[in-house]
Amino acid sequence: MELRTLRYFVAVAEELHFGRAATRLHMSQPPLSRAIRQLEAEAGALLFTRSPTGVTLTPVGRVLLDEARALLEHADRVRVRVSAAAGVATLTVGILGDGTDPGVSRLAAAYRRHHPGVGIRIRDTDLSDPTCGLRAGLVDVALTRAPFDESALTVRTLRSDPVGVVVRADDPLARRGRLRPAELSDRRWFRFPQGTDPLWQSYWNGGRPREGPVVRGVQECLQAVLWNGTVGLAPLGHDVPAELAVVPLAGMPPSRVVAVWNEGDANPLVRSFVELATAAYRR
């Protein structure tokens, strides 16, 4: 199994849709579908159950997803260590969630202008690791959201976003102008895998333990709402499918977009990245 094909598989597994995965991978859908069929042939089993609206993982697919994520993380770690040993001028940036944020686009343009000779490697991570692999040494700096355990890390707040509740558009709650946490006490929420940072888990679960499906990616969250009537939180202002709605939640502290790096890191490329990010998100 090639690493590239495993990356394709993980993208489809996280998006649960071939079209969205192809867009994320910056490729057309037919070669992506062929690559997944070839991977299924190598595995000797179906990895996805297809339907007109998307895909779901089979039991074999769920096993492969865990193994593929671990293998790809190890491969990323190897590349980082080899590049560091070779003295190559590169910066590895972890990005959590919405990479289409205008702040990201402005930051990318500014960094290219200031450091045209520096290679930028982007590591797009799922919602189970709010530090985007920073603690594991997979990235030099991360663009993510707080709160999380900040021990041995330095955090710079770039922006604060109000938060709302994601519900189906036909849910009676979708017609409300604002919701209170008490009105959601009888609902199932999406939650993150065991071992996820407790501060992060608590924030996105509205401050207390919840029952509901375990998710890792943004699309898994949205599909849990669409298919199961699950509810969860999301920053206001982000686009969601027409079948869903986001209703402001009263009394919820805003979600902070942050840049985070290892405490004491003197890498000038990281320092410049943070300063440029502060300016890019201020607009």
Side-chain angles (χ1 to χ4, degrees):
M1 296 180 182
E2 296 183 356
L3 290 177
R4 180 177 61 179
T5 306
L6 289 178
R7 292 189 191 278
Y8 292 172
F9 164 73
V10 170
V12 177
E14 291 179 347
E15 299 293 340
L16 296 176
H17 192 279
F18 275 91
R20 288 193 296 266
T23 299
R24 168 174 157 181
L25 293 164
H26 305 289
M27 64 187 298
S28 60
Q29 187 170 333
L32 175 60
S33 298
R34 288 194 296 270
I36 297 301
R37 285 197 298 269
Q38 178 60 37
L39 185 60
E40 289 177 322
E42 293 179 26
L46 288 175
L47 302 173
F48 297 102
T49 300
R50 279 81 164 170
S51 76
T53 57
V55 298
T56 56
L57 282 163
T58 65
V60 175
R62 287 194 292 271
V63 170
L64 181 58
L65 180 58
D66 289 339
E67 297 296 332
R69 280 172 167 153
L71 183 59
L72 291 172
E73 285 194 0
H74 180 71
D76 287 343
R77 191 178 298 114
V78 169
R79 276 192 289 270
V80 169
R81 295 186 63 187
V82 170
S83 295
V88 179
T90 61
L91 187 72
T92 303
V93 180
I95 295 181
L96 180 84
D98 186 8
T100 63
D101 189 309
V104 175
S105 301
R106 291 193 295 266
L107 172 56
Y111 206 85
R112 287 197 306 271
R113 288 195 304 270
H114 283 78
H115 302 284
V118 175
I120 301 296
R121 182 181 297 113
I122 299 298
R123 186 173 188 270
D124 190 14
T125 56
D126 65 38
L127 300 175
S128 66
D129 179 11
T131 68
C132 305
L134 189 62
R135 294 192 186 279
L138 298 177
V139 301
D140 300 306
V141 63
L143 289 173
T144 182
R145 289 183 178 273
F148 48 79
D149 178 9
E150 297 182 9
S151 59
L153 301 175
T154 303
V155 178
R156 171 82 61 86
T157 297
L158 304 177
R159 192 183 69 214
S160 293
D161 296 330
V163 172
V165 184
V166 185
V167 296
R168 282 205 308 243
D170 60 358
D171 190 310
L173 295 180
R175 296 191 291 271
R176 301 285 298 279
R178 184 173 295 271
L179 292 169
R180 299 187 306 275
E183 297 175 275
L184 306 169
S185 59
D186 61 342
R187 295 297 189 99
R188 285 170 58 81
W189 290 53
F190 49 71
R191 54 196 178 93
F192 303 126
Q194 187 175 6
T196 297
D197 185 294
L199 293 174
W200 172 259
Q201 180 89 273
S202 176
Y203 177 86
W204 293 108
N205 280 168
R208 67 180 182 84
R210 304 286 183 174
E211 293 296 327
V214 174
V215 298
R216 286 180 176 270
V218 172
Q219 288 301 325
E220 289 181 13
C221 297
L222 299 180
Q223 292 297 324
V225 178
L226 182 62
W227 288 90
N228 301 317
T230 308
V231 302
L233 303 183
L236 293 177
H238 284 221
D239 292 334
V240 296
E243 298 84 2
L244 304 178
V246 184
V247 183
L249 182 63
M252 185 70 186
S255 169
R256 292 186 294 127
V257 180
V258 299
V260 55
W261 64 102
N262 285 308
E263 192 174 74
D265 189 345
N267 185 343
L269 295 178
V270 171
R271 292 201 306 270
S272 178
F273 180 92
V274 174
E275 294 307 318
L276 291 169
T278 302
Y281 277 82
R282 190 181 297 133
R283 299 180 191 176

